[in-house]
Amino acid sequence: METSNPIVSVCMPVYNAGKYIAEAVGSVLNQSYTSWELIIVNDGSTDDTAAVLDQFTDPRISVHQQENSGQCVAANKAFGLSSGRLIKFMDADDVISPGYIAEQVKRIGDNDDVVASAAWGRFYHDDISSFKVNEDLIREDCNPIDWLVSSMDGKQAMMQCALWLIPRAVLEKSGLWDERLSLINDFEFIIRVLLNASEIRFAENSLLYYRSGLQSSLSSLKSTKGAQSAYDSINMGTSHMLAFEPSTRVKKACASCFQNFIYSFYPFHKTLIKGAEHKIKDLGGTTSTFPAGGYTRLLQKIIGWKIVKKLKLLLSDAPQ
């Protein structure tokens, strides 16, 4: 087995990402680490995604077409076409720093049961100059259940797939993406993957530029299918954690996840929200607070987070 310079398979499902895909692919092409393959599965895009992809001629890049079947199906197909010892799933609008893969490969070394994480931050409205590194990172190496509990302590855990470099051997134990899920599908998948690893090692110099502020977010909140997927993903992901360690600290972390679901989807999907409330009660309750800053934090103390959330939705839905 080649260990000093292993092939890294970057698996990228794509759907109607013509606006972003060139930047995402470009960030892979610009990697200082050169032993990689990029497998792109175009999931029935109806925009100019295929035309943009036709511009790339690097032999390490392969593009495959399928009828629209969902991100999880496309990601699983990309994995099935891969050959690398190490696997990175990456969304079509992600951007990674030039030394990203090299640093993660170094951190994993010859191990087949270690997963590498990375630093990350957000940029908004396609303006990368707005990028800021998230300071609330778990920077030390740790075992997976400790990472999961710490990442859920009073906040929403960042499970984004491009954060991780995963040995194929771990994926063979954990299984692939659950093709029944759509929204927040990475939550359940990444928890399952991490709990099948022995350690998470942090790659300090690997930086993920995470695109935020996309216009589709409000419609996703209103979608019944998306909300059900999000609830199911949280329910399954937290079940994995509880099966691994049914402790008080894990129950508290899982309750926070259900509370964050409520904060995200209220006032829509009342049945799912009631289900989340029952889960929180069964887990012993939560002290997780509504995510707010500045004047919003002050306002929610006065009138309550539910009214604040409705006001924010009204403003988001108003004509520009």
Side-chain angles (χ1 to χ4, degrees):
M1 179 186 295
E2 181 185 25
T3 57
S4 60
N5 197 35
I7 295 173
V8 172
S9 296
V10 181
C11 300
M12 185 181 291
V14 181
Y15 177 71
N16 284 355
K19 184 177 179 181
Y20 310 114
I21 186 65
E23 192 173 8
V25 173
S27 73
V28 177
L29 285 167
N30 289 333
Q31 290 298 297
S32 60
Y33 191 84
T34 58
S35 182
W36 54 262
E37 60 178 2
L38 173 58
I39 303 117
I40 300 172
V41 175
N42 186 4
D43 185 34
S45 296
T46 57
D47 66 352
D48 62 343
T49 292
V52 175
L53 291 174
D54 283 343
Q55 300 172 16
F56 296 104
T57 59
D58 191 296
R60 294 170 295 178
I61 300 174
S62 61
V63 179
H64 308 268
Q65 309 292 334
Q66 70 174 28
E67 293 185 2
N68 181 244
S69 304
Q71 180 189 26
C72 290
V73 174
N76 287 342
K77 180 174 180 177
F79 175 79
L81 295 165
S82 70
S83 62
R85 181 174 74 88
L86 302 175
I87 310 295
K88 175 172 293 298
F89 292 100
M90 185 170 167
D91 289 340
D93 59 354
D94 291 334
V95 179
I96 56 177
S97 60
Y100 198 99
I101 292 177
E103 179 72 9
Q104 288 194 314
V105 170
K106 181 180 178 182
R107 294 289 0 252
I108 289 177
D110 294 342
N111 299 284
D112 277 330
D113 60 349
V114 169
V115 171
S117 65
W120 67 279
R122 298 179 185 274
F123 68 99
Y124 291 88
H125 308 297
D126 303 327
D127 180 8
I128 205 161
S129 68
S130 67
F131 175 80
K132 291 183 179 179
V133 177
N134 179 21
E135 299 299 334
D136 190 18
L137 295 171
I138 301 172
R139 297 182 177 275
E140 66 271 11
D141 300 345
C142 56
N143 69 56
I145 194 65
D146 288 346
W147 188 94
L148 288 166
V149 170
S150 296
S151 69
M152 296 171 183
D153 184 16
K155 54 187 178 292
Q156 289 184 318
M158 179 60 165
M159 301 293 190
Q160 212 275 348
C161 60
L163 273 179
W164 312 97
L165 187 61
I166 309 165
R168 179 179 294 272
V170 171
L171 288 166
E172 289 172 346
K173 290 170 58 181
S174 69
L176 298 177
W177 296 78
D178 190 324
E179 296 180 359
R180 297 169 296 179
L181 300 177
S182 53
L183 193 63
I184 318 183
N185 50 359
D186 50 1
F187 184 89
E188 184 276 335
F189 173 65
I190 295 300
I191 289 176
R192 179 159 37 89
V193 168
L194 295 183
L195 292 177
N196 278 279
S198 65
E199 186 181 13
I200 297 172
R201 293 183 181 173
F202 180 64
E204 180 78 40
N205 297 317
S206 297
L207 188 59
L208 169 65
Y209 299 85
Y210 184 66
R211 195 181 303 268
S212 296
L214 300 181
Q215 293 181 350
S216 61
S217 57
L218 183 58
S219 60
S220 295
L221 292 180
K222 292 181 177 179
S223 162
T224 300
K225 179 182 177 181
Q228 185 68 60
S229 172
Y231 182 88
D232 290 344
S233 183
I234 292 170
N235 192 31
M236 289 189 287
T238 54
S239 295
H240 298 328
M241 292 173 61
L242 291 163
F244 189 89
E245 183 191 306
S247 65
T248 300
R249 67 167 188 158
V250 171
K251 290 178 181 179
K252 180 181 177 183
C254 293
S256 292
C257 293
F258 283 105
Q259 185 61 60
N260 286 328
F261 172 87
I262 294 171
Y263 288 147
S264 294
F265 286 91
Y266 180 88
F268 311 111
H269 316 294
K270 293 181 180 179
T271 300
L272 293 176
I273 286 177
K274 183 174 289 187
E277 290 171 342
H278 285 309
K279 290 285 186 180
I280 292 167
K281 183 178 180 181
D282 291 343
L283 290 164
T286 178
T287 57
S288 179
T289 58
F290 183 68
Y295 76 91
T296 307
R297 179 181 296 177
L298 177 63
L299 194 60
Q300 65 98 13
K301 289 181 179 179
I302 299 171
I303 62 176
W305 72 264
K306 290 183 177 180
I307 296 177
V308 168
K309 179 67 185 295
K310 289 179 179 179
L311 289 172
K312 290 178 70 175
L313 289 170
L314 284 171
L315 291 172
S316 298
D317 223 4
Q320 301 298 313

